[in-house]
Amino acid sequence: MLSAPEVVELYFLETRCALLDIAATLDRLDRAAETSAPGDDPRVSQLYQALELLADRATSGDRVERLLQLFSDLD
Amino acid sequence: MQIIQPHYHGIARTAQDYERMAMSGVVAVAEPAFWAGFDRLYPQTFLDYFRQISEFEPTRAAAYNIRHFCWVAVNPKEAENPELSYEVLKHMPEFFEKPTVLGVGEIGFHKTTKNEEEIFEAQLELAMRHDQLILIHTPHLQDKVRGTRRTLEILAHMKVNPDRVWLDHIEEHTIRGPLEAGYWVGFTLYPITKCSPQRAVDMLERYPRERILVNSSADWGPSDPFLLQQCVLEFRRRKHSLQAAIDVFHNNPCRFLGQNPKFDIRPIRVASL
Ligand SMILES: [Zn+2]
């Protein structure tokens, strides 16, 4: 297994890239909503809920599982 | 669709890349002089490299019907060695005479040091004296903002004609200054560290497209020449016309590079759709 500094070293740039992709998608959505009705697609709220979940630094290490739950139809 | 790849390091890639590029619409590439992954010790090594990209590499590309053009320069990283750089600069004008050399590039900053700045200015001065086009590399990652800002200050101070200058590796946080000052800007598509095809199309939608060049660089590091084709697809799937795509991915390189008469590929108009 890698040490914590090794994890940062190996995955920082990939994660930075993933964050930029998310930012670009949300910007694209906002720009599109300026000219067309935004609608109320529940998937947009899911994305923001997911980001809230990730922003909590003092949380348990099952983020992926909780995100997958969030994106699941449970009933 | 016909595509021009305006920033491509062919010597680091295989013949198969040329073949596949040809099969996916690439009709021309332009190869800037860059860092080889290690610091070279001898000025003569640069001169042989310039011979390679101005004499031999066009023959490799020609085997696949791709026109090959190039640029000569001391790259920003090795500009940290002024003694070596000045020796190389002495010989660069000989290469300006070659039939496929378009100008001086890629020059600029890596870590924005004093030595880099001195050699950057010397190469700008050389390019202007010989009426050459100029290709500027802007730094990577955390050094990009600072290096781009200093680049713009130096260009303004030296009164370089913005029409003749292309600043490459531009991203969302560095695009406004160069465009407002009238320079050409380039988006370099890289898998992780620079711009993605999707983000490039976002910027193509947000800013005037007349002075934007899109390239996928492709060198000896993690890179992919076909991100350029992926960007064309992304552009088209967002409902932009074929002519709009040709304007960005073929005609803009013709318009910038064609300021040097050696680049004789003409813009294309689609007669009917
Ligand atoms: Zn390059």
Side-chain angles (χ1 to χ4, degrees):
Chain A
M1 242 174 88
L2 299 176
S3 67
E6 285 169 336
V7 170
V8 176
E9 180 63 30
L10 195 56
Y11 298 107
F12 175 76
L13 284 177
E14 269 179 36
T15 310
R16 174 187 184 274
C17 182
L19 287 167
L20 290 172
D21 281 344
I22 294 169
T25 304
L26 298 178
D27 284 347
R28 198 175 305 139
L29 182 61
D30 285 353
R31 280 197 305 279
E34 282 169 17
T35 52
S36 57
D40 53 355
D41 192 321
R43 290 177 295 183
V44 176
S45 308
Q46 280 183 348
L47 292 177
Y48 279 98
Q49 281 173 45
L51 291 170
E52 268 173 42
L53 192 152
L54 295 182
D56 183 4
R57 193 168 173 171
T59 187
S60 51
D62 58 350
R63 293 175 180 83
V64 175
E65 188 181 333
R66 283 185 286 145
L67 281 191
L68 288 169
Q69 292 281 1
L70 176 68
F71 291 122
S72 297
D73 290 331
L74 294 177
D75 34 52
Chain B
M1 193 187 117
Q2 301 208 357
I3 298 169
I4 292 171
Q5 169 67 277
H7 187 147
Y8 187 73
H9 297 291
I11 67 156
R13 314 293 304 192
T14 63
Q16 191 182 40
D17 282 337
Y18 276 124
E19 184 183 33
R20 289 178 177 172
M21 287 199 300
M23 290 191 296
S24 56
V26 173
V27 294
V29 302
E31 177 152 6
F34 82 143
W35 188 57
F38 69 102
D39 292 340
R40 285 161 279 203
L41 295 178
Y42 316 104
Q44 290 84 352
T45 320
F46 281 81
L47 305 185
D48 270 339
Y49 171 46
F50 297 162
R51 285 180 49 238
Q52 183 180 11
I53 59 178
S54 62
E55 295 175 14
F56 174 62
E57 202 58 28
T59 68
R60 285 182 77 215
Y64 302 96
N65 270 3
I66 293 176
R67 300 278 306 276
H68 183 285
F69 298 87
C70 73
W71 304 73
V72 293
V74 175
N75 61 83
K77 205 159 185 304
E78 285 166 295
E80 192 53 35
N81 182 342
E83 195 185 333
L84 175 95
S85 301
Y86 283 120
E87 271 309 304
V88 177
L89 262 63
K90 266 192 223 163
H91 293 276
M92 277 167 47
E94 299 158 24
F95 290 89
F96 298 155
E97 305 300 320
K98 301 255 185 192
T100 55
V101 174
L102 299 175
V104 176
E106 43 194 313
I107 56 174
F109 287 119
H110 173 60
K111 291 287 177 192
T112 322
T113 67
K114 274 279 145 227
N115 284 341
E116 287 171 21
E117 183 161 321
E118 179 183 333
I119 299 304
F120 180 35
E121 289 180 342
Q123 295 197 89
L124 287 173
E125 209 269 322
L126 184 69
M128 287 197 289
R129 194 156 14 100
H130 292 267
D131 200 26
Q132 296 295 305
L133 293 173
I134 294 166
L135 165 53
I136 296 174
H137 158 104
T138 60
H140 305 288
L141 299 168
Q142 67 271 26
D143 300 308
K144 193 180 293 288
V145 171
R146 196 165 54 103
T148 305
R149 199 187 305 134
R150 189 73 195 122
T151 297
L152 292 174
E153 286 167 3
I154 289 169
L155 290 170
H157 179 249
M158 291 182 69
K159 299 192 166 45
V160 187
N161 176 2
D163 294 338
R164 312 269 299 168
V165 179
W166 157 21
L167 279 85
D168 208 9
H169 320 319
I170 290 295
E171 292 179 71
E172 289 86 342
H173 57 330
T174 54
I175 186 171
R176 277 186 293 274
L179 274 188
E180 280 163 14
Y183 300 102
W184 286 74
V185 301
F187 306 151
T188 304
L189 310 171
Y190 259 57
I192 298 287
T193 50
K194 291 194 176 92
C195 186
S196 69
Q198 290 80 0
R199 285 171 48 209
V201 176
D202 290 335
M203 288 190 281
L204 286 167
E205 290 180 334
R206 290 176 63 191
Y207 296 97
R209 295 203 271 271
E210 289 73 28
R211 292 198 174 212
I212 294 177
L213 301 163
V214 188
N215 61 84
S216 49
S217 182
D219 48 44
W220 45 260
S223 54
D224 176 0
F226 298 95
L227 290 175
L228 187 58
Q229 282 82 344
Q230 204 176 311
C231 192
V232 175
L233 176 63
E234 176 71 14
F235 188 73
R236 292 282 279 138
R237 112 180 150 165
R238 293 203 204 167
K239 305 180 185 172
H240 298 288
S241 69
L242 177 60
Q243 183 64 55
I246 289 171
D247 284 341
V248 172
F249 297 98
H250 181 278
N251 295 349
N252 279 2
C254 292
R255 289 171 45 238
F256 177 75
L257 300 172
Q259 294 182 81
N260 185 324
K262 293 177 201 170
F263 191 94
D264 55 0
I265 303 172
R266 296 287 161 252
I268 296 170
R269 293 293 310 170
V270 181
S272 61
L273 292 168

